[in-house]
Amino acid sequence: MKFEFNSSEPIYRQVAEQIEDAIASGGFEEGGQIPSTTEISKEFHINPATVLKGMNIAVSKNLIEKRRGLGMFVQAGARKRILSEKRSDFFDDFVENLVREAQNLNISEDELLALVKRGYQQ
């Protein structure tokens, strides 16, 4: 986990995103326990209430669950839900703009696909 303390994005949101990214990358496995609020707050010098607020975002998105007396655990299907959401965001944030800009530049669909393939080769 890495936090940007000078960022305009609140730390609690960064905590939620870091948890989400770790689940998506396989760093936190489904069914596995994630570090506790105390562990994260001590390691990164973050207020425990801030860490808990970020964790609660992940709980509300059904990515992790609290098990009383045991800690926080990654829910089954969390990785699939995250990747599905990220793919949807990718389309909304990048693909639509890419296609719009290609159309503005009179780049055909075939030419655009060729450019994308070239990007994969580099």
Side-chain angles (χ1 to χ4, degrees):
M1 292 185 162
K2 184 177 182 206
F3 300 99
E4 299 292 332
F5 295 101
N6 295 325
S7 171
S8 62
E9 184 171 26
I11 298 298
Y12 74 92
R13 288 210 179 273
Q14 291 183 46
V15 169
E17 287 176 8
Q18 291 289 322
I19 292 169
E20 201 169 302
D21 288 346
I23 294 169
S25 70
F28 294 155
E29 294 183 10
E30 292 184 4
Q33 188 171 11
I34 67 169
S36 71
T37 301
T38 304
E39 290 171 330
I40 293 172
S41 66
K42 283 183 178 179
E43 183 174 345
F44 298 102
H45 308 286
I46 301 171
N47 185 307
T50 301
V51 175
L52 183 59
K53 190 172 181 179
M55 286 184 158
N56 283 333
I57 291 173
V59 169
S60 71
K61 294 173 85 173
N62 294 317
L63 302 176
I64 61 174
E65 63 182 343
K66 298 176 187 178
R67 295 185 189 162
R68 190 180 186 107
L70 297 175
M72 300 278 203
F73 293 80
V74 178
Q75 287 197 3
R79 185 172 190 269
K80 184 177 179 180
R81 287 192 299 277
I82 292 167
L83 293 176
S84 177
E85 181 181 335
K86 287 183 177 289
R87 286 178 182 205
S88 179
D89 291 346
F90 178 76
F91 179 81
D92 294 343
D93 297 342
F94 298 101
V95 175
E96 285 183 333
N97 291 329
L98 174 68
V99 170
R100 190 175 312 110
E101 187 63 23
Q103 289 169 336
N104 289 341
L105 296 170
N106 293 320
I107 296 173
S108 71
E109 182 179 341
D110 289 337
E111 290 172 316
L112 181 57
L113 290 172
L115 289 171
V116 171
K117 286 179 183 179
R118 189 172 97 196
Y120 266 97
Q121 294 168 354
Q122 290 183 346

